[in-house]
């Protein structure tokens, strides 16, 4: 098991180096002058020239790449061209906000998705099955942007149940320690504020979690149907075990392996979907940070941002792989 | 029996989250959401409905975050909006106008030759860090901006507005700034500058605390210290900026609010949703599509900012056939401005005639706009030698982003494209991403026509005409590469003239020349729309797009 983990970690190094090269070359191939976009239409030519020089943008890109790689090895992610704040410092709160959001969205997707999938398989061809799969189909094809605005319209404007934007009530701010507001509220024992934080999380995580929820529901259903036909389930049934026990204890464990793959992949795509969700819900996360950086051609931020997201993606896949091995001892790294 | 329990249990499992989301939200807000009176012991519900007692915190929603809070190193509006609250300049614009009023300088004397300005400073004013505002502070700030080797010019900083308003290093307008005594400052100029006072009143020339700059150095732009009505408190990037009341503000009885929180909410519709839900009190840039909803909602009010911008289509005069004024005039006749305004601006705009808005002095109201007349356009094209319309196809750059002067560039471009087609001019709309867009139009290689606009920085026509259409603005804001030597002479003369009536005449001449040359199709002057809670009072929208929140209060 240990050597498996080590091997999986070693593979990460060339993957990450390759990633820096790809990200770097793509970003520098995009047309658009950072100096112009950062300083704005109203800046003088002179200061744009000075900025380009200072940023090393006048140097050949290969040289720029090695300079970047060198800094990276020293743990220096560089400075944002626009705000001139070190990225490592600047990105932390955004990262915390996005992690909190994606985690909640995944939790929502998992709880609803897995259960809906199980019930659909269990009650195959029932009204519940049809309804759930129809909803899943709608869920997959739903534009996040539209869903988010509709949620706001219904739950905030019409029903006044939930706040429509942000992470916290600005009139009643929360002292931040970890940057994960749920955790911050718990640490400080502020239960009232915890409830407000959770309410702020609900709409964006439903918007963000809907697609993975639908995918997970469909995957669980087909995987369960497959397993339910297998011999060991038939044996379990014939022994007279209660249906609930058969489904949740015996079948689910094996049905979850393919679901786990989907969860891994979907968590990765959540990081991408976060850009839209964060825009609609004014969620100060890494998605918006990146989006802004791209529109301003803030190269260091785009590079580091994508690199961090890619790293997270690789990390999640690593965790999924390790979980496979934990669930099913037959899986080994070759 | 067991089967039933199992089913029930899984249902409960599955629906837990949804139920808690809906049911919980409901029960909690029943006390505060629908009736505000029960809200006092429930901080959470204050967001859904303000308590009955007068509110003293203002939450503003806007589209983007600030870049920096040191106003002298930025040129973007979102930064300056905050800077305006924290800093005072020597002079300021009267609320709702671009008329200059005393601020940190109580009065001033101008020498006959227009080269010496003596300002008497307000006494007893303190910076937020407790240090005194005095003549030395003014000298310190101007030295910092003008001296290229200043130790307080930090890496990567440039004082762009100082350079563009008072001339770049080598051709500075201001020769020297000296402190005559503790509250008298003397400015000596190298040459007279007509809009000098107008420029000094700009937000970017707010006076910063020298002590704070010396202490905080690079970090000053994240923790600004001025003398303004609000004290900077906290900046959560991409989220919110919190300002608190300056209890020692020199204007009697101001500010009325205790706290101002400015939030970044990028999507216009989401921002409007937040306003309707009571999460913010005031919002900028209402979508034209949301206007009917806004007007129908009695708990909200519509606020109109006076038009101080222009949207236009520029011709790339480097390229044929747009180097020919006859062609440009012909195309001017082919644009139905009123139709565009009705369709895409919800009526919140007026047809543009000149390159500057009519709210600005020096506007030439004698000029008759080219009317929408396709037959005449065809006729003029024929006169210019194109009886069958223009040969070939042209690239028309339409803005990919929404701006106060142009909410939806692509739709407007499509409507114009259709009209052009009727007179035999075929254009293909291209709308590359914004950074590329600005790059390409500045280079002028790919586009034949382009759409852009401008919002004024100060109350001077120079800031429109010279900045956008003079040959000095190539490469830069003159993206049509329009060169007219006679116009250039007039604009330079106007910069040096100190008599405003004479200047006004010069700008009127300039507008007539531009009208005849038609380097642009001026499209619209828009009235940007803001929205606020109905009980918000005292907010005076300013044409420049930057307002004080100090006289705002809630009823």
């Amino acid at each position: 098991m240990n050597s498996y983990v080590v091997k999986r970690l070693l593979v990460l190094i060339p993957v990450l180096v390759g990633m820096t090269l790809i990200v770097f070359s793509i970003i520098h191939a995009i047309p658009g002058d950072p100096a112009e976009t950062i300083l704005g239409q109203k800046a003088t030519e002179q200061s744009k020239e000075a900025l380009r020089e200072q940023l090393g943008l006048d140097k050949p890109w290969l040289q720029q790449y090695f300079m970047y790689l060198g800094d990276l090895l020293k743990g220096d992610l560089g400075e944002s061209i626009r705000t001139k704040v070190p990225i490592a410092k600047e990105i932390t709160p955004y990262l915390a906000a996005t992690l909190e959001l994606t985690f909640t969205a995944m939790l929502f997707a998992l709880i609803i998705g897995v259960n809906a999938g199980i019930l659909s398989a269990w009650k195959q061809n029932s009204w519940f099955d049809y309804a759930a799969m129809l909803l899943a189909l709608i869920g997959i094809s739903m534009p996040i942007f539209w869903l988010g605005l509709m949620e706001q319209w219904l739950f905030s404007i019409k029903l006044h149940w939930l706040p429509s934007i942000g992470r916290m009530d600005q009139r009643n701010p929360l002292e931040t320690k970890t940057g994960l507001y749920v955790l911050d509220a718990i640490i400080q024992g502020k239960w009232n504020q915890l409830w407000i934080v959770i309410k702020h999380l609900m709409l964006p995580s439903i918007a963000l979690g809907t697609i993975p929820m639908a995918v997970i529901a469909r995957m669980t259903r087909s995987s369960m149907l497959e397993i339910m036909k297998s011999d060991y389930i038939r044996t379990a049934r014939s022994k007279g075990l209660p249906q609930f026990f058969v489904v949740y204890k015996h079948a689910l464990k094996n049905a979850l392996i393919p679901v786990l793959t989907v969860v891994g992949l979907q968590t990765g795509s959540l990081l991408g979907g976060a850009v839209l969700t964060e825009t609609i819900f004014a969620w100060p996360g890494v998605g918006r940070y990146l989006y802004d950086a791209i529109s301003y051609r803030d190269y260091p931020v785009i590079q580091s941002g994508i690199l961090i997201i890619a790293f997270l993606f690789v990390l999640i896949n690593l965790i999924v792989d390790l979980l496979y091995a934990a669930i099913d001892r037959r899986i080994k790294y070759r | 029996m067991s089967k039933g329990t199992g089913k029930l249990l899984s249902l409960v499992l599955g629906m837990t989250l949804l139920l808690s989301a809906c049911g919980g939200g409901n029960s909690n807000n029943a006390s505060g959401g629908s009736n505000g009176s029960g809200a006092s012991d429930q901080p959470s519900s204050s967001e859904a409905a303000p308590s009955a007692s007068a509110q003293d915190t203002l939450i503003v929603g806007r589209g983007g975050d600030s870049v920096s809070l040191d106003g002298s190193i930025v040129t973007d509006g979102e930064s300056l909006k905050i800077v305006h609250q924290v800093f005072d300049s020597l002079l300021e614009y009267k609320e709702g106008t671009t008329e200059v009023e005393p601020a940190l300088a109580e009065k001033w004397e101008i020498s006959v030759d227009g080269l010496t300005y003596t300002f008497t400073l307000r006494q007893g004013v303190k910076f937020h860090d407790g240090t005194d505002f005095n003549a030395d502070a003014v000298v310190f700030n101007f030295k910092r901006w003008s001296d290229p080797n200043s130790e307080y010019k930090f890496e990567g900083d440039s004082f762009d507005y100082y350079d563009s308003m008072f001339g770049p290093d080598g051709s500075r307008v201001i020769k020297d700034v000296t402190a005559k005594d503790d509250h008298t400052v003397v400015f000596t100029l190298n040459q007279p500058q007509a809009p000098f006072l107008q420029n000094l009143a700009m937000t970017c020339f707010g006076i910063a605390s020298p002590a704070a700059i010396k202490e905080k150095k690079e970090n000053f732009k994240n923790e600004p210290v001025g003398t303004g009505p609000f004290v900077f408190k906290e900046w959560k990037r991409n989220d919110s900026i919190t300002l608190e009341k300056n209890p020692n503000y020199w204007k009697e009885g101001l500010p009325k609010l205790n706290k101002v929180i400015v939030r970044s909410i990028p999507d216009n519709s989401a921002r409007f949703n937040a306003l309707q839900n009571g999460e913010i009190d005031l919002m900028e840039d209402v979508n034209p599509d949301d206007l009917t909803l806004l007007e129908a909602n009695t708990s909200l009010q519509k606020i109109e900012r006076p038009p101080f911008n222009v949207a236009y289509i520029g011709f790339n005069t480097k390229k044929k056939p747009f180097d020919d004024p006859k062609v440009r005039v012909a195309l001017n006749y082919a644009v139905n401005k009123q139709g565009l305004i009705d369709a895409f601006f919800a009526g919140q705009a007026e047809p543009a005639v000149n390159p500057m808005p009519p709210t600005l002095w020096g506007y030439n109201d004698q000029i008759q706009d080219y009317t929408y007349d396709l037959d005449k356009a065809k006729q003029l094209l024929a006169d210019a030698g194109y009886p069958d319309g223009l040969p070939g196809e042209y690239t028309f750059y339409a803005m990919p982003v929404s701006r106060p002067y142009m909410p939806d560039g692509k739709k407007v471009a499509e409507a114009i494209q259709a009209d052009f087609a009727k007179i035999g001019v075929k254009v293909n709309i291209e709308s590359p991403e914004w950074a590329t867009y600005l790059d390409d139009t500045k280079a002028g290689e790919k586009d034949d026509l382009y759409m852009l606009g401008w919002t004024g920085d100060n109350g001077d026509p120079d800031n429109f005409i010279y900045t956008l259409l003079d040959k000095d603005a190539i490469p830069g804001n003159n993206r049509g590469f329009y060169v007219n030597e006679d116009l250039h002479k007039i604009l330079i003369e106007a910069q040096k003239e100190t008599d405003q009536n004479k200047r006004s005449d010069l700008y009127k001449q300039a507008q007539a020349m531009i009208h005849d040359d038609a380097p642009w199709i001026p499209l619209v002057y828009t009235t940007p729309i803001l929205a606020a809670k109905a009980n918000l009072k005292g907010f005076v929208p300013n044409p420049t797009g930057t307002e004080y929140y100090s006289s705002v209060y809630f009823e």
Side-chain angles (χ1 to χ4, degrees):
Chain A
M1 188 71 191
N2 277 345
S3 66
Y4 173 61
V5 175
V6 171
K7 274 184 204 158
R8 278 297 271 107
L9 284 175
L10 282 177
V11 173
L12 286 186
I13 296 170
V15 170
L16 288 174
V17 172
M19 226 145 53
T20 57
L21 188 63
I22 293 170
V23 169
F24 194 88
S25 26
I26 291 175
I27 289 170
H28 284 257
I30 311 173
D33 173 13
E36 170 95 25
T37 34
I38 287 158
L39 295 176
Q41 246 174 294
K42 297 184 174 178
T44 60
E45 281 306 309
Q46 215 177 355
S47 56
K48 285 177 204 162
E49 198 51 55
L51 181 67
R52 268 177 229 126
E53 199 173 306
Q54 179 213 334
L55 297 172
L57 293 172
D58 48 351
K59 297 201 173 69
W61 81 265
L62 203 64
Q63 194 182 338
Q64 288 184 48
Y65 174 69
F66 281 111
M67 275 161 55
Y68 172 66
L69 212 58
D71 287 342
L72 211 58
L73 285 176
K74 282 181 267 167
D76 180 3
L77 292 178
E79 250 183 27
S80 159
I81 297 182
R82 192 157 82 109
T83 63
K84 298 179 191 100
V85 177
I87 295 164
K89 183 181 160 204
E90 198 174 58
I91 205 167
T92 328
Y94 297 126
L95 208 55
T98 297
L99 285 181
E100 189 166 49
L101 176 61
T102 38
F103 182 77
T104 321
M106 208 59 219
L107 203 66
F108 161 78
L110 262 176
I111 294 177
I112 309 278
V114 167
N115 283 296
I118 292 170
L119 282 178
S120 291
W122 185 353
K123 301 284 169 198
Q124 194 189 359
N125 299 330
S126 68
W127 66 266
F128 179 86
D129 184 20
Y130 292 133
M133 286 308 112
L134 182 69
L135 280 177
L137 194 68
I138 295 172
I140 288 175
S141 25
M142 184 94 77
I144 299 182
F145 210 74
W146 186 81
L147 177 65
L149 285 173
M150 285 304 111
E151 279 181 9
Q152 287 180 346
W153 177 78
L154 181 63
F155 292 104
S156 304
I157 299 171
K158 289 292 152 197
L159 299 171
H160 286 290
W161 287 354
L162 295 169
S164 66
I165 48 154
R167 299 180 70 190
M168 188 59 203
D169 177 1
Q170 302 275 341
R171 292 185 172 93
N172 180 20
L174 178 72
E175 199 187 324
T176 49
K177 291 198 163 77
T178 62
L180 300 167
Y181 282 16
V182 171
L183 209 60
D184 283 339
I186 293 174
I187 292 172
Q188 298 170 49
K190 299 198 168 145
W191 310 116
N192 208 344
Q193 290 194 316
L194 176 65
W195 177 233
I196 304 173
V197 169
I198 292 175
K199 283 206 295 184
H200 277 87
L201 267 167
M202 281 177 189
L203 294 184
S205 46
I206 291 174
L208 187 57
T210 296
I211 292 174
M213 175 190 74
V215 175
I216 290 170
R218 288 164 60 115
M219 194 66 210
T220 313
R221 179 178 178 271
S222 57
S223 167
M224 278 300 276
L225 285 175
E226 196 67 27
I227 299 284
M228 294 291 270
K229 283 190 210 125
S230 63
D231 290 343
Y232 82 100
I233 295 293
R234 213 173 303 140
T235 315
R237 272 187 177 157
S238 62
K239 283 197 295 187
L241 284 175
Q243 179 80 335
F244 179 77
F245 194 70
V246 173
V247 170
Y248 274 85
K249 183 83 207 279
H250 289 274
L252 187 58
K253 194 178 162 189
N254 285 317
L256 274 186
I257 292 182
V259 173
L260 208 57
T261 315
V262 174
V263 171
L265 289 173
Q266 286 296 319
T267 314
S269 69
L270 279 191
L271 294 168
V275 177
L276 289 177
T277 317
E278 286 171 2
T279 305
I280 287 292
F281 291 97
W283 196 268
V286 103
R288 261 183 67 204
Y289 180 52
L290 254 181
Y291 176 83
D292 278 357
I294 290 170
S295 43
Y296 281 97
R297 295 288 185 275
D298 198 338
Y299 293 152
V301 172
I302 310 175
Q303 275 153 206
S304 306
I306 294 183
L307 210 60
I308 286 174
I309 287 187
F311 180 71
L312 284 178
F313 192 84
V314 173
L315 202 70
I316 289 161
N317 277 297
L318 173 73
I319 294 171
V320 168
D321 281 359
L322 296 182
L323 280 176
Y324 280 156
I327 293 177
D328 189 339
R329 302 279 166 180
R330 288 169 302 179
I331 297 175
K332 288 281 173 293
Y333 189 76
R334 280 184 293 272
Chain B
M1 197 63 197
S2 66
K3 200 175 166 188
T5 339
K7 188 176 171 185
L8 190 72
L9 199 68
S10 349
L11 259 173
V12 168
L13 252 171
M15 295 295 138
T16 312
L17 200 84
L18 260 188
L19 285 177
S20 70
C22 307
N26 188 16
S27 66
N28 177 275
N29 269 296
S31 64
S34 43
N35 57 338
S37 56
S40 53
D41 62 341
Q42 270 278 24
S44 69
S45 48
S46 66
E47 194 161 83
S51 68
S53 64
Q55 190 185 329
D56 62 0
T57 298
L58 169 73
I59 302 191
V60 183
R62 57 171 181 173
D65 199 7
S66 299
V67 173
S68 155
L69 300 182
D70 179 352
S72 59
I73 59 172
V74 289
T75 59
D76 69 304
E78 298 307 341
S79 295
L80 292 171
K81 270 172 203 160
I82 306 294
V83 170
H84 198 55
Q85 315 304 325
V86 179
F87 295 89
D88 289 308
S89 302
L90 288 178
L91 309 168
E92 66 186 26
Y93 302 119
K94 193 176 163 187
E95 277 200 314
T97 71
T98 52
E99 200 181 304
V100 172
E101 275 195 337
L104 288 178
E106 271 179 326
K107 54 180 193 230
W108 53 89
E109 275 170 30
I110 309 169
S111 66
V112 186
D113 58 4
L115 290 175
T116 312
Y117 286 68
T118 309
F119 291 93
T120 309
L121 305 181
R122 196 171 293 278
Q123 296 186 48
V125 177
K126 284 197 185 298
F127 288 109
H128 300 156
D129 59 3
T131 54
D132 286 326
F133 162 76
N134 53 27
D136 288 338
V138 176
V139 173
F140 176 91
N141 276 276
F142 277 86
K143 283 266 154 67
R144 175 177 178 231
W145 300 328
S146 61
D147 177 7
N149 303 316
S150 167
E151 59 174 310
Y152 303 109
K153 178 180 177 179
F154 306 111
E155 201 193 329
D157 290 355
S158 55
F159 302 109
D160 278 318
Y161 262 132
Y162 189 88
D163 288 353
S164 59
M165 295 296 147
F166 299 124
D169 193 32
S171 56
R172 299 272 196 221
V173 169
I174 301 175
K175 189 175 171 189
D176 201 16
V177 185
T178 48
K180 199 169 149 197
D181 58 50
D182 220 23
H183 53 274
T184 312
V185 178
V186 182
F187 284 70
T188 327
L189 308 191
N190 282 318
Q191 70 208 48
Q193 187 187 39
F196 184 67
L197 294 175
Q198 205 75 38
N199 290 345
L200 276 189
M202 288 170 69
T203 306
C204 51
F205 302 126
I207 304 298
S209 156
I213 291 182
K214 285 173 188 164
E215 184 207 322
K216 294 175 195 278
K217 302 214 165 65
E218 285 91 343
N219 209 24
F220 182 80
K221 56 177 162 281
N222 300 319
E223 295 167 11
V225 179
T227 58
F230 292 97
V231 180
F232 169 80
K233 188 76 189 164
E234 192 190 11
W235 185 2
K236 288 186 190 155
R237 283 191 184 263
N238 265 357
D239 185 32
S240 61
I241 293 175
T242 306
L243 307 170
E244 280 177 358
K245 179 180 186 160
N246 174 4
N248 305 315
Y249 191 48
W250 53 270
K251 274 188 196 167
E252 204 65 41
L254 294 181
K256 294 180 177 168
L257 295 162
N258 251 334
K259 205 187 218 182
V260 175
I261 300 166
V262 184
R263 301 182 69 165
S264 317
I265 306 164
D267 186 71
N268 288 3
S269 305
R271 194 169 340 116
F272 188 58
N273 281 345
L275 178 72
Q276 291 180 80
N277 196 33
E279 288 162 80
I280 57 175
D281 306 311
L282 171 71
M283 73 168 275
E284 300 189 334
D285 304 326
V286 177
N287 269 348
D289 297 341
D290 289 332
L291 266 185
T292 25
L293 267 179
L294 168 62
E295 281 161 357
N297 191 335
T298 50
S299 62
L300 300 179
Q301 58 174 313
K302 177 175 127 183
I303 300 172
E304 296 186 345
R305 184 176 276 151
F308 200 53
N309 56 40
V310 60
Y312 59 87
I313 294 170
F315 295 104
N316 187 343
T317 61
K318 276 204 299 198
K319 291 193 180 176
K320 278 194 181 309
F322 302 113
D323 55 345
D324 182 355
K326 284 184 200 150
V327 172
R328 302 197 295 251
V329 170
L331 290 186
N332 259 284
Y333 278 104
V335 174
N336 182 0
K337 295 175 193 176
Q338 195 55 51
L340 296 175
I341 291 168
D342 295 339
F344 306 113
F345 294 83
Q348 297 291 337
E350 54 179 301
V353 181
N354 286 322
M356 60 186 239
T359 39
L360 194 54
W361 61 268
Y363 179 82
N364 191 338
D365 51 14
Q366 301 297 312
I367 292 176
Q368 287 295 312
D369 196 11
Y370 300 112
T371 48
Y372 176 54
D373 187 342
L374 292 177
D375 293 332
K376 182 139 192 197
K378 260 187 194 164
Q379 181 60 48
L380 286 170
L381 274 185
D383 293 349
Y386 303 100
D388 306 317
L390 296 179
E393 296 179 7
Y394 304 94
T395 304
F396 180 10
Y397 264 42
M399 294 168 55
V401 291
S402 160
R403 281 288 179 276
Y405 49 77
M406 181 59 65
D408 195 334
K410 273 185 247 180
K411 280 191 196 158
V412 169
E414 281 162 18
I416 293 172
Q417 183 186 38
D419 269 337
F420 280 178
K422 289 179 197 155
I423 58 165
V425 176
K426 188 160 168 35
V427 295
N428 299 315
I429 297 173
E430 279 186 29
S431 211
E433 180 273 341
W434 190 227
T436 314
Y437 188 97
L438 290 176
D439 246 22
D440 285 358
T441 49
K442 196 167 84 180
E445 300 300 330
K446 292 184 183 160
D447 62 310
D448 299 301
L449 300 104
Y450 66 99
M451 180 188 285
L452 216 59
W454 186 260
T455 301
D457 294 307
N458 59 9
D460 201 281
D462 184 69
N463 183 247
F464 277 88
I465 301 185
Y466 175 79
T467 311
L468 300 173
L469 286 163
D470 192 81
K471 66 169 190 167
D472 287 354
I474 304 172
N477 291 310
N478 184 347
R479 287 156 198 261
F481 305 91
Y482 166 62
V483 179
N484 180 334
E485 293 295 343
D486 294 335
L487 177 73
H488 177 69
K489 268 181 215 142
I490 287 185
L491 293 178
I492 295 297
E493 193 185 336
Q495 281 179 341
K496 290 183 177 152
E497 178 59 60
T498 46
D499 181 337
Q500 182 160 331
N501 288 327
K502 285 187 192 157
R503 291 191 72 210
S504 185
D505 287 342
L506 289 170
Y507 285 118
K508 282 180 182 166
Q509 278 180 46
Q511 287 164 71
M513 283 172 151
I514 293 165
H515 180 75
D516 294 342
D517 267 353
W520 288 1
I521 303 172
L523 289 177
V524 290
Y525 311 119
T526 67
T527 305
I529 303 297
L530 293 84
K533 280 185 183 163
N535 66 342
L536 180 143
K537 305 280 167 188
F539 178 83
V540 187
N542 194 288
T544 60
T546 310
E547 292 91 9
Y548 280 122
Y549 301 134
S550 50
S551 36
V552 173
Y553 63 98
F554 290 91
E555 257 181 8

